[in-house]
């Protein structure tokens, strides 16, 4: 029987004065996600214990994988402070795993120095006993299959086998909030997930060009937001749907074809920056990855970035596409992202978008029409939805359904 689960935070996080702040943020987030009435959370300076009471471990473990800032967990058994009980407990834990032919090491921490046997001696005594009991096992201190952790405390002895890795990073929200520009593509949901993993809560902005683009493309963005809301504070994310069609049409009608995408991106950044500044959100986040498409050459990034003074975090900037796909599969956004619905960037794609745009031309073309007025309109008509993983909403006609959803928002 499992007595409790130990949750470990990363070592880097636990240095100096930040320690208490990180632990506070972590405990706050964990109690948002877990049903803390059905279990007890015991806080220590560098770790937490969960006493399970009546909760089924598997449902808890699935949730642990959505909590950023947690680096690992292990099932712990607590026993009395004598050698015989320590051995019995270790053997019962080993009985739960597949025994034959393992390499192992024993790692002892003597937190209570009044315990009469020191760590080294206890580790080797236990090691010898195990070798006698399991003749096919071998010691390997560098890279063992099984590590037997023994922690000696005043109140008893904690014993657990391998620590199982979790998300890592920092507790989501600890670093504040960023505004993620999210398309329906593969990259931006991954960029959002990686930002949350690193402690940044999200608001999401999507530019939708219905009816020029399909309603399914907009619906996709809601589905993707639902998936990554699992990792968010309170497992909810605000999604801002910006009506982009009028501005999009104006770009197609007024701007030389090879500059449409460059200037479209600049418009998105203008709107996102303005909203972020109004809301005191200090950074924007995008799924840009250098080299992937014409709008992501270094020259394009330079010209697109020139319209904002806000810092832009690009978690995928230098990542390989296959690595991005791997993460999309882990967070279960892959299948939704690859559904073939055109969004504003894939509908009417120019035959040869410029890969070396210049600021001078972009500025000149933007003077060909009154974009400020169209930006004002898009911002005024933006709909905001509070999205959680269990939200059910179908965008038959965007405005109507979203309005209904808004009424139910808390
Ligand atoms: P993604 O897979 O995220 O769509 P991508 O590799 O297809 O990225 P682009 O289409 O060039 O790249 O978009 C670059 C970034 O611009 C996106 O990652 C996203 O942050 C932002 N973006 C593009 N289109 C939209 C949109 N319709 N709404 C919000 N943000 C967008
Ligand atoms: Mg895209």
């Amino acid at each position: 029987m499992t007595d409790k689960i130990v949750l470990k935070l990363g070592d880097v996080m636990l240095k100096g004065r930040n320690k208490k702040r990180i632990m506070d943020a972590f405990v706050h987030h964990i109690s948002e996600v877990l049903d803390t009435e059905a279990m007890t959370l015991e806080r220590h300076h560098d770790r937490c214990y969960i006493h399970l009471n009546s909760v089924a471990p598997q449902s808890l473990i699935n949730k642990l994988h959505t909590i950023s800032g947690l680096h690992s967990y292990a099932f712990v058994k607590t026993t009395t402070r004598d050698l015989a009980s320590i051995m019995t407990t270790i053997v019962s834990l080993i009985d739960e795993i597949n025994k034959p032919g393992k390499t192992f090491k024993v790692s002892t921490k003597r937190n209570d120095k009044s315990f009469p046997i020191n760590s080294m001696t206890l580790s080797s005594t236990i090691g010898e006993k195990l070798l006698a009991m399991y003749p096919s096992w071998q010691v390997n201190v560098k890279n063992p299959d099984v590590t037997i952790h023994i922690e000696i405390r005043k109140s008893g002895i904690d014993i657990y086998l391998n620590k199982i890795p979790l998300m890592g990073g920092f507790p989501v929200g600890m670093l504040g909030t960023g505004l993620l520009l999210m398309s329906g593509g593969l990259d931006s949901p991954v960029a959002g997930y990686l930002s949350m993993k690193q402690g940044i809560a999200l608001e999401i902005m999507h530019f939708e060009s219905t009816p020029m683009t399909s309603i399914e493309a907009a619906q996709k963005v809601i589905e993707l937001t639902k998936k990554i809301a699992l990792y968010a504070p309170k497992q909810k994310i605000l999604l801002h749907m910006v009506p982009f069609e009028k501005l999009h049409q104006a770009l197609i009608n007024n701007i030389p074809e090879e500059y449409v995408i460059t200037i479209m991106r600049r418009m998105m950044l203008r709107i996102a920056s303005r909203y972020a500044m109004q809301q005191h959100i200090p950074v924007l986040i995008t799924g840009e990855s250098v080299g992937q498409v014409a709008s992501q050459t270094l020259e394009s990034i330079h010209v697109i970035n020139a319209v904002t003074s806000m810092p832009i975090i690009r978690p995928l900037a230098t990542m390989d596409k296959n690595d991005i796909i791997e993460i999309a599969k882990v967070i279960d956004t892959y299948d939704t992202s690859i559904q073939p619905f055109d969004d504003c960037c894939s509908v009417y794609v120019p035959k040869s978008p410029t890969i070396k745009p210049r600021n001078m031309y972009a500025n000149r073309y933007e003077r060909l029409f009154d974009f400020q007025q169209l930006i004002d309109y898009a911002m005024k008509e933006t709909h905001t939805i509070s999205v959680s993983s269990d939200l059910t909403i179908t965008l038959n006609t965007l405005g109507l359904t979203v309005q209904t959803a808004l009424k139910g928002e808390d």
Side-chain angles (χ1 to χ4, degrees), residues 180-189 191 205-208 244 261 264-265 268 285-289 292-296 316 321 343-345:
L180 171 70
L181 282 73
M182 194 166 88
S183 66
L186 248 171
D187 300 320
S188 32
M205 184 166 271
H206 174 68
F207 300 90
E208 60 84 14
F244 201 61
I261 296 281
M264 185 190 296
R265 284 275 186 285
M268 290 180 183
I285 301 162
T286 70
E288 287 161 301
S289 182
Q292 265 196 26
V293 288
S295 58
Q296 292 171 15
L316 314 184
K321 191 79 187 181
D343 70 353
C344 63
C345 304

Side-chain angles (χ1 to χ4, degrees), residues 177-181 200 269 272-273 276-277 281-286 288 305 307-314:
T177 301
L179 180 64
L180 171 70
L181 282 73
I200 306 173
L269 277 191
S273 304
M277 278 182 204
I281 293 176
V283 295
L284 305 180
I285 301 162
T286 70
E288 287 161 301
N305 213 144
V307 300
T308 181
S309 58
M310 296 235 4
I312 302 176
I313 296 181
R314 300 178 173 88

